[in-house]
Amino acid sequence: MECVAGHIKEHHSKDRRIQGAGLATNNNVFQEEYMEFSRRIKTAGRVLGFGFVGALMLVALPARAASVSFFLDQSNTLPDGNHYLSVMLTENGTGGVDFLVQTLDPLSNVAGRNFGIQKFGFSFNDESGFEIAGLPDSWRIREDRRMSEFGKFDIRLQGKGKSRTDSLSFTVNGATLDDFDALFSAHVAGFEWCNIIDGKGKYGKNNWCGDRNCITSAFFAGSMGQLPPPDPSVVPVPAAVWLFGSGLAGLLGVASRQKRKTT
């Protein structure tokens, strides 16, 4: 009996050792899984954090400046339909509109020694007061003045003969693109455009004609096209939002896998 009792006691002791080893193994596995889960949570947290910071940075970025460009392709004396000058208006983000007016090839190719823009006219849609800054030296501002048969304009900027320029830039402070009337006009002088037709049926560009049927100055006009409205059906998603969403999806996936393992 004592032998049998000892054998039973030894058997129970061995079972307890096996159970203890099993519990230790389970504990080790659980600790490893817990550590792996913690690492994944931290990684997902960092991804979410970076995505959130990136999203905030994108939101803080200034919106791209609105801009519109068009041509002055009408003239009081030269043929219509040519791009004589280009005009670009850009909202500068500080409460104003930057102007850039430049002569193009149809005039530049027949430019003389004192060639350039001498007057530029535009109007506003209302009576709001705006400040014009950055004009070239010797240029001045005149109000309610004519630009040949293109009519009167609220503002006519003009320089002396020696201050003509092939590139005119200035700023209208306190304005937006919506504050301007559509029609703009310029006066350019100091070129020689022959008022004769060559064998190809075109006016004589690059054909110096001296005093014979030669036009040396003209007024030009053109209209600013309407800005295209934004498409409400197309909303771009910033890259940081995709990063934020992928991090959140990864976090949910880790949590789901861990839940299945524990159950």
Side-chain angles (χ1 to χ4, degrees), residues 111-191:
R113 286 179 297 177
N114 189 23
F115 166 77
I117 304 165
Q118 189 167 348
K119 298 175 184 178
F120 185 73
F122 57 92
S123 296
F124 299 108
N125 288 326
D126 55 38
E127 298 298 327
S128 300
F130 303 103
E131 178 189 8
I132 299 174
L135 285 172
D137 294 339
S138 302
W139 277 65
R140 52 190 176 175
I141 303 171
R142 292 289 183 261
E143 297 182 3
D144 197 25
R145 298 298 176 92
R146 292 188 64 85
M147 296 287 285
S148 186
E149 59 259 46
F150 295 114
K152 284 187 177 182
F153 290 81
D154 293 343
I155 300 294
R156 189 178 77 184
L157 308 176
Q158 60 186 61
K160 297 180 180 180
K162 293 183 179 180
S163 60
R164 294 171 186 164
T165 176
D166 59 0
S167 180
L168 173 65
S169 61
F170 60 93
T171 299
V172 180
N173 292 319
T176 67
L177 294 180
D178 293 332
D179 291 319
F180 296 94
D181 185 69
L183 185 64
F184 295 79
S185 181
H187 176 249
V188 181
F191 59 87

Side-chain angles (χ1 to χ4, degrees), residues 17-31:
R17 287 197 300 272
I18 292 174
Q19 291 174 358
L23 289 174
T25 301
N26 290 336
N27 286 336
N28 290 337
V29 171
F30 177 77
Q31 289 178 356

Side-chain angles (χ1 to χ4, degrees), residues 34-57:
Y34 177 77
M35 293 298 293
E36 179 65 20
F37 177 72
S38 298
R39 284 194 294 270
R40 292 181 180 180
I41 289 294
K42 290 180 180 179
T43 301
R46 284 194 292 269
V47 171
L48 288 173
F50 291 147
F52 182 71
V53 172
L56 289 179
M57 291 175 65

Side-chain angles (χ1 to χ4, degrees), residues 47-48 51 55 58 235-249:
V47 171
L48 288 173
L58 284 176
V235 180
V237 180
V241 174
W242 292 113
L243 182 61
F244 184 83
S246 62
L248 181 60

Side-chain angles (χ1 to χ4, degrees), residues 75-147:
S75 176
N76 65 327
T77 56
L78 301 184
D80 291 340
N82 293 316
H83 294 166
Y84 295 107
L85 298 95
S86 66
V87 181
M88 182 170 66
L89 283 67
T90 304
E91 291 182 353
N92 56 30
T94 59
V97 174
D98 297 329
F99 276 70
L100 178 61
V101 187
Q102 295 178 303
T103 58
L104 300 178
D105 286 348
L107 296 178
S108 300
N109 288 342
V110 292
R113 286 179 297 177
N114 189 23
F115 166 77
I117 304 165
Q118 189 167 348
K119 298 175 184 178
F120 185 73
F122 57 92
S123 296
F124 299 108
N125 288 326
D126 55 38
E127 298 298 327
S128 300
F130 303 103
E131 178 189 8
I132 299 174
L135 285 172
D137 294 339
S138 302
W139 277 65
R140 52 190 176 175
I141 303 171
R142 292 289 183 261
E143 297 182 3
D144 197 25
R145 298 298 176 92
R146 292 188 64 85
M147 296 287 285

